[in-house]
Coordinates of all heavy atoms in Angstrom, one line a residue:
M19 N 69.9 -212.8 -52.3 CA 69.2 -211.9 -53.2 C 69.6 -212.1 -54.6 O 68.8 -212.2 -55.5 CB 69.5 -210.4 -52.8 CG 68.8 -209.4 -53.5 SD 67.1 -209.5 -53.1 CE 66.4 -208.2 -54.0
A20 N 71.0 -212.3 -54.9 CA 71.4 -212.5 -56.2 C 70.9 -213.9 -56.7 O 70.6 -214.0 -57.9 CB 73.0 -212.5 -56.2
T21 N 70.9 -214.9 -55.8 CA 70.4 -216.2 -56.2 C 68.9 -216.1 -56.6 O 68.5 -216.8 -57.6 CB 70.6 -217.2 -55.0 OG1 71.9 -217.2 -54.6 CG2 70.2 -218.6 -55.5
L22 N 68.1 -215.4 -55.9 CA 66.7 -215.2 -56.2 C 66.6 -214.6 -57.6 O 65.7 -215.0 -58.4 CB 66.0 -214.4 -55.1 CG 64.5 -214.2 -55.4 CD1 63.8 -215.5 -55.4 CD2 64.0 -213.3 -54.3
G23 N 67.4 -213.6 -57.8 CA 67.4 -212.9 -59.1 C 67.7 -213.9 -60.3 O 67.1 -213.8 -61.3
R24 N 68.7 -214.7 -60.0 CA 69.1 -215.7 -61.1 C 68.0 -216.7 -61.3 O 67.7 -217.1 -62.4 CB 70.3 -216.4 -60.6 CG 71.6 -215.6 -60.7 CD 72.8 -216.4 -60.3 NE 73.9 -215.4 -60.2 CZ 75.0 -215.7 -59.5 NH1 75.1 -216.8 -58.8 NH2 76.0 -214.8 -59.5
I25 N 67.3 -217.1 -60.3 CA 66.2 -218.1 -60.4 C 65.1 -217.4 -61.2 O 64.5 -218.0 -62.1 CB 65.7 -218.5 -59.0 CG1 66.8 -219.4 -58.4 CG2 64.4 -219.3 -59.2 CD1 66.5 -219.8 -56.9
V26 N 64.7 -216.2 -60.8 CA 63.6 -215.5 -61.5 C 64.0 -215.3 -63.0 O 63.2 -215.5 -63.9 CB 63.3 -214.2 -60.8 CG1 62.3 -213.3 -61.7 CG2 62.7 -214.4 -59.5
T27 N 65.2 -214.9 -63.2 CA 65.7 -214.6 -64.6 C 65.7 -215.9 -65.4 O 65.2 -216.0 -66.6 CB 67.1 -214.1 -64.6 OG1 67.1 -212.9 -63.8 CG2 67.6 -213.7 -66.0
G28 N 66.1 -217.0 -64.8 CA 66.1 -218.3 -65.5 C 64.6 -218.8 -65.8 O 64.4 -219.3 -66.9
I29 N 63.7 -218.5 -64.9 CA 62.3 -218.9 -65.2 C 61.8 -218.1 -66.3 O 61.1 -218.6 -67.2 CB 61.5 -218.7 -63.9 CG1 61.9 -219.8 -62.8 CG2 60.0 -218.9 -64.2 CD1 61.3 -219.6 -61.5
L30 N 62.0 -216.8 -66.3 CA 61.6 -215.9 -67.3 C 62.1 -216.3 -68.7 O 61.4 -216.2 -69.7 CB 61.9 -214.4 -67.0 CG 61.1 -213.8 -65.8 CD1 61.6 -212.4 -65.6 CD2 59.6 -213.8 -66.1
R31 N 63.4 -216.6 -68.7 CA 64.0 -217.0 -70.0 C 63.4 -218.3 -70.5 O 63.1 -218.4 -71.7 CB 65.5 -217.3 -69.8 CG 66.3 -216.0 -69.7 CD 67.8 -216.3 -69.6 NE 68.6 -215.1 -69.4 CZ 69.8 -215.0 -68.9 NH1 70.4 -216.2 -68.6 NH2 70.4 -213.9 -68.7
K32 N 63.1 -219.3 -69.6 CA 62.5 -220.5 -70.1 C 61.1 -220.3 -70.6 O 60.7 -220.8 -71.6 CB 62.4 -221.5 -68.9 CG 63.8 -222.1 -68.6 CD 63.6 -223.1 -67.5 CE 65.0 -223.7 -67.1 NZ 64.9 -224.6 -65.9
E33 N 60.3 -219.4 -69.9 CA 59.0 -219.1 -70.4 C 59.0 -218.4 -71.7 O 58.3 -218.6 -72.6 CB 58.2 -218.2 -69.3 CG 57.9 -219.0 -68.1 CD 57.0 -220.2 -68.4 OE1 56.0 -220.1 -69.2 OE2 57.2 -221.3 -67.8
T34 N 60.0 -217.4 -71.9 CA 60.1 -216.7 -73.1 C 60.5 -217.7 -74.2 O 59.9 -217.6 -75.3 CB 61.2 -215.6 -73.0 OG1 60.8 -214.8 -71.9 CG2 61.3 -214.8 -74.2
A35 N 61.4 -218.6 -74.0 CA 61.8 -219.5 -75.0 C 60.7 -220.4 -75.4 O 60.5 -220.7 -76.5 CB 63.0 -220.4 -74.4
R36 N 59.9 -220.8 -74.4 CA 58.7 -221.7 -74.7 C 57.7 -220.9 -75.6 O 57.2 -221.5 -76.5 CB 58.0 -222.1 -73.4 CG 58.8 -223.2 -72.7 CD 58.1 -223.7 -71.5 NE 58.9 -224.5 -70.7 CZ 58.9 -224.6 -69.4 NH1 58.0 -223.9 -68.7 NH2 59.7 -225.4 -68.7
N37 N 57.5 -219.7 -75.2 CA 56.5 -218.9 -76.0 C 57.0 -218.6 -77.4 O 56.3 -218.7 -78.4 CB 56.3 -217.5 -75.4 CG 55.5 -217.6 -74.1 OD1 54.8 -218.6 -73.9 ND2 55.6 -216.7 -73.2
V38 N 58.3 -218.4 -77.6 CA 58.9 -218.2 -78.9 C 58.8 -219.5 -79.7 O 58.4 -219.5 -80.9 CB 60.4 -217.8 -78.8 CG1 61.1 -217.9 -80.1 CG2 60.5 -216.4 -78.2
C39 N 59.0 -220.6 -79.1 CA 58.9 -221.9 -79.8 C 57.5 -222.1 -80.2 O 57.2 -222.6 -81.3 CB 59.4 -223.1 -78.9 SG 61.2 -223.1 -78.7
K40 N 56.5 -221.8 -79.4 CA 55.1 -222.0 -79.7 C 54.8 -221.1 -80.9 O 54.1 -221.6 -81.8 CB 54.2 -221.7 -78.5 CG 54.3 -222.8 -77.5 CD 53.4 -222.4 -76.3 CE 53.5 -223.5 -75.2 NZ 52.8 -223.1 -74.0
N41 N 55.2 -219.9 -80.9 CA 54.9 -218.9 -81.9 C 55.5 -219.4 -83.2 O 54.9 -219.3 -84.3 CB 55.4 -217.5 -81.6 CG 54.5 -216.9 -80.5 OD1 53.4 -217.3 -80.2 ND2 55.1 -215.9 -79.8
Q42 N 56.8 -219.9 -83.2 CA 57.5 -220.3 -84.4 C 56.8 -221.5 -85.0 O 56.6 -221.7 -86.2 CB 58.9 -220.7 -84.1 CG 59.8 -219.5 -83.9 CD 61.2 -219.9 -83.6 OE1 61.5 -221.0 -83.3 NE2 62.1 -218.9 -83.5
Q43 N 56.3 -222.4 -84.1 CA 55.6 -223.6 -84.6 C 54.3 -223.3 -85.2 O 53.8 -223.9 -86.2 CB 55.4 -224.6 -83.4 CG 56.8 -225.2 -83.0 CD 56.6 -226.1 -81.7 OE1 55.6 -226.1 -81.1 NE2 57.7 -226.7 -81.4
L44 N 53.6 -222.3 -84.7 CA 52.3 -221.8 -85.3 C 52.6 -221.2 -86.6 O 51.8 -221.4 -87.6 CB 51.6 -220.9 -84.3 CG 51.1 -221.5 -83.0 CD1 50.5 -220.4 -82.2 CD2 50.0 -222.5 -83.4
L45 N 53.6 -220.4 -86.7 CA 53.9 -219.6 -88.0 C 54.5 -220.5 -89.1 O 54.2 -220.3 -90.2 CB 54.8 -218.5 -87.7 CG 54.3 -217.3 -86.9 CD1 55.4 -216.3 -86.6 CD2 53.1 -216.7 -87.5
A46 N 55.3 -221.5 -88.7 CA 56.0 -222.3 -89.7 C 55.5 -223.7 -89.6 O 56.3 -224.6 -89.1 CB 57.5 -222.2 -89.4
R47 N 54.4 -224.0 -90.0 CA 53.9 -225.4 -90.0 C 54.5 -226.3 -91.0 O 54.6 -227.5 -90.9 CB 52.4 -225.4 -90.1 CG 51.7 -224.8 -88.9 CD 50.2 -225.2 -89.0 NE 49.5 -224.5 -87.9 CZ 49.2 -225.0 -86.7 NH1 49.7 -226.2 -86.5 NH2 48.6 -224.4 -85.8
T48 N 55.0 -225.7 -92.1 CA 55.6 -226.5 -93.2 C 57.1 -226.7 -93.0 O 57.7 -227.5 -93.6 CB 55.4 -225.8 -94.5 OG1 56.0 -224.5 -94.5 CG2 53.9 -225.7 -94.9
Q49 N 57.7 -225.9 -92.1 CA 59.1 -226.0 -91.8 C 59.4 -226.7 -90.5 O 58.6 -226.6 -89.6 CB 59.8 -224.7 -91.8 CG 59.7 -223.9 -93.1 CD 60.3 -222.5 -93.0 OE1 60.7 -222.1 -91.9 NE2 60.4 -221.8 -94.1
Q50 N 60.5 -227.5 -90.4 CA 60.8 -228.1 -89.2 C 61.6 -227.1 -88.3 O 62.6 -226.6 -88.8 CB 61.7 -229.3 -89.4 CG 62.0 -230.1 -88.2 CD 62.8 -231.3 -88.5 OE1 63.2 -231.6 -89.6 NE2 63.2 -232.1 -87.4
V51 N 61.1 -226.8 -87.2 CA 61.8 -225.8 -86.3 C 62.2 -226.6 -85.0 O 61.4 -227.3 -84.4 CB 60.8 -224.7 -85.9 CG1 61.5 -223.7 -84.9 CG2 60.3 -224.0 -87.1
R52 N 63.5 -226.4 -84.7 CA 64.0 -227.0 -83.5 C 64.3 -226.0 -82.4 O 65.3 -225.2 -82.6 CB 65.3 -227.8 -83.8 CG 65.8 -228.5 -82.6 CD 67.0 -229.3 -82.9 NE 67.6 -229.9 -81.7 CZ 68.6 -230.7 -81.6 NH1 69.1 -231.1 -82.7 NH2 69.0 -231.1 -80.4
C53 N 63.5 -225.9 -81.4 CA 63.7 -224.9 -80.4 C 64.3 -225.5 -79.1 O 64.8 -224.8 -78.2 CB 62.4 -224.2 -80.0 SG 61.7 -223.3 -81.4
K54 N 64.2 -226.8 -79.0 CA 64.5 -227.4 -77.7 C 66.0 -227.7 -77.7 O 66.5 -228.4 -78.6 CB 63.7 -228.7 -77.6 CG 63.8 -229.3 -76.2 CD 62.8 -230.5 -76.1 CE 62.9 -231.1 -74.7 NZ 62.0 -232.2 -74.6
T55 N 66.7 -227.3 -76.7 CA 68.2 -227.5 -76.5 C 68.5 -228.3 -75.3 O 69.6 -228.8 -75.2 CB 68.9 -226.2 -76.5 OG1 68.4 -225.4 -75.4 CG2 68.8 -225.4 -77.8
T56 N 67.5 -228.5 -74.5 CA 67.7 -229.3 -73.3 C 66.6 -230.4 -73.1 O 65.5 -230.2 -73.7 CB 67.7 -228.5 -72.0 OG1 66.5 -227.8 -71.9 CG2 68.9 -227.5 -72.0
T57 N 66.9 -231.4 -72.3 CA 65.9 -232.4 -72.0 C 65.0 -231.9 -70.9 O 65.3 -230.9 -70.3 CB 66.6 -233.8 -71.7 OG1 67.4 -233.6 -70.5 CG2 67.4 -234.3 -72.8
E58 N 64.1 -232.7 -70.5 CA 63.2 -232.3 -69.4 C 64.0 -232.2 -68.1 O 63.7 -231.5 -67.2 CB 62.1 -233.4 -69.2 CG 61.1 -233.4 -70.3 CD 60.3 -232.1 -70.4 OE1 60.0 -231.5 -69.3 OE2 60.0 -231.6 -71.5
T59 N 65.1 -233.0 -67.9 CA 65.9 -233.0 -66.7 C 66.9 -231.9 -66.7 O 67.5 -231.6 -65.7 CB 66.6 -234.3 -66.5 OG1 67.5 -234.5 -67.6 CG2 65.6 -235.5 -66.4
G60 N 67.1 -231.2 -67.8 CA 68.0 -230.1 -67.9 C 69.3 -230.4 -68.6 O 70.2 -229.6 -68.7
A61 N 69.5 -231.7 -69.0 CA 70.7 -232.0 -69.7 C 70.7 -231.5 -71.1 O 69.6 -231.4 -71.7 CB 70.8 -233.6 -69.7
L62 N 71.8 -231.1 -71.6 CA 71.9 -230.6 -73.0 C 71.8 -231.8 -74.0 O 72.2 -232.9 -73.8 CB 73.3 -230.0 -73.2 CG 73.6 -228.7 -72.5 CD1 75.0 -228.2 -72.7 CD2 72.6 -227.6 -72.9
L63 N 71.1 -231.5 -75.1 CA 70.9 -232.5 -76.1 C 72.3 -232.6 -76.9 O 73.1 -231.7 -76.9 CB 69.8 -232.0 -77.1 CG 68.4 -232.0 -76.5 CD1 67.4 -231.5 -77.5 CD2 68.0 -233.4 -76.1
A64 N 72.4 -233.7 -77.6 CA 73.6 -233.9 -78.4 C 73.7 -232.9 -79.5 O 72.7 -232.3 -80.0 CB 73.6 -235.3 -79.0
K65 N 75.0 -232.6 -80.0 CA 75.2 -231.7 -81.1 C 74.6 -232.2 -82.3 O 74.7 -233.4 -82.6 CB 76.7 -231.4 -81.3 CG 77.3 -230.5 -80.3 CD 78.8 -230.3 -80.7 CE 79.4 -229.3 -79.8 NZ 80.8 -229.0 -80.2
P66 N 74.0 -231.4 -83.2 CA 73.5 -231.9 -84.5 C 74.7 -232.3 -85.4 O 75.8 -231.7 -85.3 CB 72.7 -230.7 -85.0 CG 73.2 -229.5 -84.3 CD 73.7 -230.0 -83.0
T67 N 74.5 -233.2 -86.2 CA 75.5 -233.6 -87.1 C 75.8 -232.6 -88.2 O 74.8 -232.0 -88.7 CB 75.2 -235.0 -87.8 OG1 74.0 -234.8 -88.5 CG2 75.1 -236.1 -86.8
T68 N 77.0 -232.3 -88.5 CA 77.4 -231.4 -89.6 C 78.2 -232.0 -90.6 O 79.0 -233.0 -90.3 CB 78.1 -230.2 -89.0 OG1 79.3 -230.6 -88.3 CG2 77.2 -229.4 -88.0
I69 N 78.2 -231.6 -91.8 CA 79.0 -232.1 -92.9 C 79.9 -230.9 -93.3 O 79.5 -229.9 -93.8 CB 78.2 -232.5 -94.1 CG1 77.2 -233.6 -93.7 CG2 79.1 -233.0 -95.2 CD1 76.2 -234.0 -94.7
N70 N 81.2 -231.1 -93.0 CA 82.2 -230.1 -93.4 C 82.8 -230.4 -94.7 O 83.4 -231.4 -94.9 CB 83.3 -230.0 -92.3 CG 82.7 -229.6 -91.0 OD1 81.8 -228.8 -90.9 ND2 83.3 -230.1 -89.9
L71 N 82.6 -229.5 -95.7 CA 83.1 -229.7 -97.0 C 84.1 -228.5 -97.4 O 84.3 -228.2 -98.5 CB 82.0 -229.7 -98.0 CG 80.9 -230.8 -97.8 CD1 79.8 -230.6 -98.8 CD2 81.6 -232.1 -98.0
G72 N 84.7 -227.9 -96.4 CA 85.5 -226.7 -96.5 C 86.2 -226.5 -97.9 O 85.8 -225.6 -98.6
L73 N 87.2 -227.2 -98.2 CA 88.0 -227.0 -99.4 C 87.2 -227.3 -100.7 O 87.3 -226.6 -101.7 CB 89.3 -227.8 -99.4 CG 90.3 -227.6 -100.5 CD1 90.7 -226.1 -100.4 CD2 91.5 -228.5 -100.3
S74 N 86.3 -228.3 -100.6 CA 85.6 -228.6 -101.8 C 84.6 -227.5 -102.1 O 84.3 -227.2 -103.3 CB 84.8 -230.0 -101.6 OG 84.0 -229.9 -100.5
K75 N 84.0 -226.8 -101.1 CA 83.1 -225.7 -101.4 C 83.9 -224.6 -102.1 O 83.4 -224.0 -103.0 CB 82.5 -225.2 -100.1 CG 81.5 -226.0 -99.5 CD 81.0 -225.3 -98.2 CE 80.1 -226.2 -97.4 NZ 79.7 -225.5 -96.1
I76 N 85.1 -224.3 -101.6 CA 85.9 -223.3 -102.2 C 86.2 -223.6 -103.7 O 86.1 -222.7 -104.6 CB 87.2 -223.0 -101.4 CG1 86.8 -222.5 -100.0 CG2 88.1 -222.1 -102.1 CD1 88.0 -222.5 -99.1
V77 N 86.6 -224.8 -103.9 CA 86.9 -225.2 -105.3 C 85.7 -225.2 -106.2 O 85.7 -224.7 -107.3 CB 87.5 -226.7 -105.3 CG1 87.7 -227.2 -106.7 CG2 88.9 -226.6 -104.6
L78 N 84.5 -225.7 -105.7 CA 83.3 -225.7 -106.5 C 82.8 -224.3 -106.8 O 82.1 -224.1 -107.8 CB 82.2 -226.5 -105.8 CG 82.4 -228.0 -105.7 CD1 81.3 -228.6 -104.9 CD2 82.3 -228.6 -107.1
V79 N 83.1 -223.3 -106.1 CA 82.7 -221.9 -106.4 C 83.8 -221.2 -107.2 O 83.5 -220.5 -108.1 CB 82.4 -221.2 -105.1 CG1 82.2 -219.7 -105.3 CG2 81.2 -221.8 -104.4
T80 N 85.1 -221.4 -106.8 CA 86.1 -220.6 -107.4 C 86.4 -221.0 -108.9 O 86.5 -220.1 -109.7 CB 87.4 -220.7 -106.6 OG1 87.1 -220.4 -105.2 CG2 88.5 -219.9 -107.1
V81 N 86.5 -222.3 -109.1 CA 86.9 -222.7 -110.5 C 85.9 -222.3 -111.6 O 86.4 -221.7 -112.6 CB 87.2 -224.2 -110.5 CG1 87.3 -224.8 -111.9 CG2 88.4 -224.6 -109.6
P82 N 84.6 -222.5 -111.4 CA 83.7 -222.1 -112.5 C 83.7 -220.6 -112.7 O 83.7 -220.1 -113.9 CB 82.4 -222.5 -112.0 CG 82.6 -223.6 -111.0 CD 83.9 -223.2 -110.4
F83 N 83.8 -219.8 -111.7 CA 83.8 -218.3 -111.8 C 85.1 -217.8 -112.4 O 85.1 -216.8 -113.1 CB 83.4 -217.6 -110.5 CG 81.9 -217.8 -110.3 CD1 81.5 -218.7 -109.3 CD2 81.0 -217.1 -111.0 CE1 80.1 -218.8 -109.0 CE2 79.6 -217.2 -110.8 CZ 79.2 -218.1 -109.8
L84 N 86.2 -218.4 -112.0 CA 87.5 -218.0 -112.7 C 87.4 -218.3 -114.2 O 87.9 -217.5 -115.0 CB 88.7 -218.7 -112.0 CG 89.2 -218.1 -110.7 CD1 90.3 -219.0 -110.1 CD2 89.7 -216.7 -110.9
Y85 N 86.9 -219.4 -114.5 CA 86.8 -219.8 -115.9 C 85.9 -218.9 -116.7 O 86.2 -218.4 -117.8 CB 86.3 -221.3 -116.1 CG 86.1 -221.7 -117.5 CD1 87.2 -222.0 -118.3 CD2 84.9 -221.8 -118.1 CE1 87.1 -222.4 -119.6 CE2 84.7 -222.2 -119.4 CZ 85.8 -222.5 -120.1 OH 85.7 -222.8 -121.4
L86 N 84.7 -218.5 -116.0 CA 83.8 -217.6 -116.6 C 84.4 -216.2 -116.8 O 84.3 -215.6 -117.9 CB 82.5 -217.5 -115.7 CG 81.4 -216.6 -116.2 CD1 80.8 -217.1 -117.5 CD2 80.4 -216.4 -115.1
G87 N 85.1 -215.7 -115.8 CA 85.8 -214.4 -115.9 C 86.9 -214.4 -117.0 O 87.0 -213.4 -117.8
A88 N 87.6 -215.5 -117.1 CA 88.7 -215.6 -118.2 C 88.0 -215.6 -119.5 O 88.5 -215.0 -120.5 CB 89.5 -216.8 -117.9
T89 N 86.9 -216.3 -119.7 CA 86.3 -216.4 -121.0 C 85.7 -215.1 -121.4 O 85.8 -214.6 -122.6 CB 85.1 -217.5 -120.9 OG1 85.7 -218.7 -120.5 CG2 84.5 -217.6 -122.3
I90 N 85.1 -214.4 -120.5 CA 84.5 -213.0 -120.8 C 85.6 -212.1 -121.2 O 85.5 -211.3 -122.1 CB 83.7 -212.5 -119.6 CG1 82.4 -213.3 -119.4 CG2 83.4 -211.0 -119.7 CD1 81.6 -213.0 -118.2
S91 N 86.8 -212.1 -120.5 CA 87.9 -211.2 -120.8 C 88.4 -211.5 -122.1 O 88.8 -210.6 -122.9 CB 89.0 -211.4 -119.7 OG 88.5 -211.0 -118.5
K92 N 88.6 -212.8 -122.5 CA 89.1 -213.2 -123.8 C 88.2 -212.7 -124.9 O 88.7 -212.2 -125.9 CB 89.3 -214.7 -123.8 CG 90.0 -215.2 -125.1 CD 90.2 -216.7 -125.0 CE 89.0 -217.4 -125.4 NZ 89.1 -218.9 -125.5
E93 N 86.9 -212.9 -124.7 CA 85.9 -212.5 -125.7 C 85.9 -211.0 -125.9 O 85.8 -210.5 -127.0 CB 84.5 -213.1 -125.4 CG 84.4 -214.6 -125.5 CD 84.7 -215.2 -126.9 OE1 84.3 -214.5 -127.9 OE2 85.3 -216.2 -126.9
G94 N 86.0 -210.3 -124.8 CA 86.0 -208.8 -124.8 C 87.2 -208.3 -125.5 O 87.1 -207.4 -126.3
A95 N 88.4 -208.9 -125.2 CA 89.6 -208.5 -125.9 C 89.6 -208.8 -127.4 O 90.0 -207.9 -128.2 CB 90.8 -209.2 -125.3
A96 N 89.0 -209.9 -127.8 CA 88.9 -210.2 -129.2 C 87.9 -209.2 -129.9 O 88.2 -208.8 -131.0 CB 88.4 -211.7 -129.3
F97 N 86.8 -208.9 -129.2 CA 85.9 -207.9 -129.8 C 86.5 -206.5 -130.0 O 86.4 -205.9 -131.0 CB 84.7 -207.8 -128.8 CG 83.7 -206.7 -129.3 CD1 82.8 -206.9 -130.3 CD2 83.7 -205.5 -128.6 CE1 81.9 -205.9 -130.7 CE2 82.8 -204.5 -129.0 CZ 81.9 -204.7 -130.0
L98 N 87.3 -206.1 -129.0 CA 88.0 -204.8 -129.1 C 89.0 -204.8 -130.2 O 89.1 -203.8 -131.0 CB 88.6 -204.4 -127.8 CG 87.7 -204.1 -126.6 CD1 88.5 -203.9 -125.3 CD2 86.8 -202.9 -126.9
E99 N 89.7 -205.9 -130.4 CA 90.7 -205.9 -131.4 C 90.1 -206.1 -132.8 O 90.6 -205.5 -133.8 CB 91.6 -207.2 -131.1 CG 93.0 -207.1 -131.8 CD 93.9 -208.1 -131.3 OE1 93.8 -208.5 -130.1 OE2 94.7 -208.6 -132.1
E100 N 89.0 -206.8 -132.9 CA 88.3 -207.0 -134.2 C 87.7 -205.7 -134.7 O 87.7 -205.4 -135.9 CB 87.2 -208.0 -134.0 CG 86.5 -208.3 -135.3 CD 85.4 -209.3 -135.0 OE1 85.6 -210.3 -134.3 OE2 84.3 -209.2 -135.5
N101 N 87.3 -204.8 -133.8 CA 86.6 -203.6 -134.2 C 87.6 -202.4 -134.2 O 87.2 -201.2 -134.2 CB 85.4 -203.3 -133.3 CG 84.3 -204.3 -133.5 OD1 84.0 -204.6 -134.7 ND2 83.7 -204.7 -132.4
D102 N 88.9 -202.7 -134.1 CA 90.0 -201.7 -134.1 C 89.7 -200.6 -133.0 O 90.1 -199.4 -133.2 CB 90.1 -201.0 -135.5 CG 90.5 -201.9 -136.5 OD1 91.3 -202.9 -136.2 OD2 90.2 -201.8 -137.7
I103 N 89.2 -201.0 -131.9 CA 89.0 -200.1 -130.8 C 90.3 -200.0 -129.9 O 90.8 -199.0 -129.5 CB 87.8 -200.5 -129.9 CG1 86.5 -200.4 -130.7 CG2 87.7 -199.6 -128.6 CD1 85.3 -201.0 -130.1
F104 N 90.9 -201.2 -129.8 CA 92.2 -201.3 -129.0 C 93.0 -202.3 -129.7 O 92.7 -203.4 -129.8 CB 91.9 -201.7 -127.6 CG 93.2 -201.9 -126.8 CD1 93.9 -200.8 -126.4 CD2 93.6 -203.2 -126.5 CE1 95.1 -201.0 -125.6 CE2 94.8 -203.4 -125.8 CZ 95.5 -202.3 -125.4
I105 N 94.2 -201.8 -130.2 CA 95.2 -202.7 -130.8 C 96.5 -202.6 -130.0 O 97.0 -201.5 -130.0 CB 95.4 -202.4 -132.3 CG1 94.0 -202.5 -133.0 CG2 96.4 -203.3 -132.9 CD1 94.1 -202.1 -134.5
P106 N 97.0 -203.6 -129.4 CA 98.2 -203.5 -128.7 C 99.4 -203.3 -129.6 O 99.5 -203.8 -130.7 CB 98.3 -204.8 -127.9 CG 97.4 -205.8 -128.7 CD 96.4 -204.9 -129.3
D107 N 100.3 -202.4 -129.2 CA 101.5 -202.1 -130.0 C 102.7 -202.9 -129.4 O 102.8 -203.1 -128.2 CB 101.9 -200.6 -129.9 CG 100.8 -199.7 -130.6 OD1 100.2 -200.2 -131.5 OD2 100.7 -198.6 -130.1
D108 N 103.5 -203.3 -130.3 CA 104.7 -204.1 -129.9 C 105.8 -203.1 -129.5 O 106.8 -203.5 -128.9 CB 105.2 -205.0 -131.0 CG 104.3 -206.1 -131.3 OD1 103.5 -206.5 -130.4 OD2 104.2 -206.6 -132.5
D109 N 105.7 -201.8 -129.7 CA 106.7 -200.9 -129.4 C 106.8 -200.5 -127.9 O 107.6 -199.7 -127.5 CB 106.6 -199.6 -130.3 CG 106.7 -199.9 -131.7 OD1 107.4 -200.9 -132.1 OD2 106.2 -199.1 -132.5
D110 N 105.8 -200.9 -127.2 CA 105.7 -200.5 -125.8 C 106.7 -201.2 -124.9 O 106.9 -200.8 -123.7 CB 104.3 -200.8 -125.2 CG 103.2 -200.0 -125.8 OD1 103.6 -198.9 -126.3 OD2 102.1 -200.3 -125.8
D111 N 107.5 -202.1 -125.4 CA 108.5 -202.8 -124.5 C 109.5 -201.9 -124.1 O 110.3 -201.4 -123.8 CB 109.1 -204.0 -125.3 CG 108.1 -205.1 -125.6 OD1 107.1 -205.1 -124.8 OD2 108.2 -205.8 -126.5

């Protein structure tokens, strides 16, 4: 009984996946959509190639925004000091 349930569930999943793929292909004619994960015989397809840029992504995002933040802070402090809004005292030590 459990085996029959698994077979029926597997068939339903395959049919649902096929319908989803057909609908996606109809809706997205300009985009490449990959719905197929197995071959006709049931073997899994090879993993897609990925490019891991871990540390370089972090550096490319962090460095410019740290520089931008430091520049804005410096210009803001200069503006406040120039307009006598905030003048640091040396007596605070």
Side-chain angles (χ1 to χ4, degrees):
M19 184 70 177
T21 307
L22 180 62
R24 288 182 188 156
I25 292 171
V26 171
T27 305
I29 292 171
L30 290 176
R31 284 185 186 159
K32 286 181 184 177
E33 289 301 319
T34 304
R36 286 182 190 149
N37 291 338
V38 169
C39 287
K40 287 178 185 176
N41 291 338
Q42 285 178 352
Q43 290 170 355
L44 291 174
L45 293 175
R47 292 193 185 268
T48 59
Q49 296 177 355
Q50 183 178 2
V51 178
R52 181 179 174 174
C53 294
K54 193 171 181 181
T55 56
T56 59
T57 62
E58 292 294 325
T59 60
L62 292 175
L63 293 175
K65 284 186 177 179
T67 58
T68 58
I69 301 172
N70 295 328
L71 299 174
L73 187 60
S74 59
K75 286 182 190 177
I76 293 170
V77 169
L78 287 173
V79 171
T80 305
V81 170
F83 286 106
L84 279 175
Y85 179 75
L86 181 66
T89 303
I90 291 171
S91 297
K92 185 175 82 172
E93 295 296 324
F97 173 78
L98 292 174
E99 201 170 327
E100 181 181 317
N101 293 317
D102 293 331
I103 297 171
F104 175 76
I105 300 174
D107 293 329
D108 292 332
D109 298 337
D110 291 339
D111 294 335

